[in-house]
Amino acid sequence: VAFASLQTRKYSATTSRLAATNYLLHYDYIPDVLEKRGPYREGHLGVAKKLIAEGKCLSGGPTGDVGMEVPSGALFVFTDLESAKLFVKEDPYIDAGIVTSHKIVEWNVVVSKDDN
């Protein structure tokens, strides 16, 4: 019965507190990221921590295949598009060539663990 009601619920970004729009920033890294990131890592994390403190970045971290030893990229969650773009602009991994490509996509959160 509960499942049936979920199927009929219409999506609306304005009617549900759970239908929040966030922005996902995905990075692709160079294969030897662990060897090359050292001089830039503090600055990279510093930009993320600054935006987290301002409430603009919700989380972030490395991504890769299950059981990875070397990350193939990273994923960050932002509350607004401008902050995601600012992160890319200020992240030293970009200028250092650690990031080979990046993409920002919109993510509409419709369900979460807080869904009542």
Side-chain angles (χ1 to χ4, degrees):
V1 176
F3 181 73
S5 67
L6 285 176
Q7 289 179 327
T8 60
R9 187 167 84 178
K10 292 187 178 190
Y11 172 78
S12 172
T14 59
T15 60
S16 171
R17 67 178 176 79
L18 294 176
T21 300
N22 289 310
Y23 296 85
L24 304 178
L25 168 62
H26 180 262
Y27 276 176
D28 289 313
Y29 286 156
I30 57 174
D32 54 348
V33 60
L34 298 181
E35 293 82 14
K36 305 256 174 113
R37 72 180 180 183
Y40 315 102
R41 185 163 165 76
E42 187 176 326
H44 167 75
L45 294 175
V47 175
K49 289 176 182 179
K50 174 182 162 254
L51 290 169
I52 287 170
E54 294 172 359
K56 301 290 187 171
C57 180
L58 301 177
S59 60
T63 60
D65 293 333
V66 174
M68 71 174 165
E69 291 186 24
V70 177
S72 59
L75 182 69
F76 296 87
V77 182
F78 293 91
T79 59
D80 60 84
L81 180 59
E82 294 75 24
S83 296
K85 289 179 177 180
L86 179 65
F87 185 87
V88 171
K89 181 180 175 187
E90 293 187 1
D91 187 1
Y93 276 18
I94 298 288
D95 289 336
I98 304 297
V99 175
T100 60
S101 67
H102 72 276
K103 180 166 103 171
I104 299 170
V105 297
E106 189 174 291
W107 177 37
N108 293 301
V109 180
V110 177
V111 295
S112 75
K113 70 176 187 161
D114 297 327
D115 194 7
N116 294 329

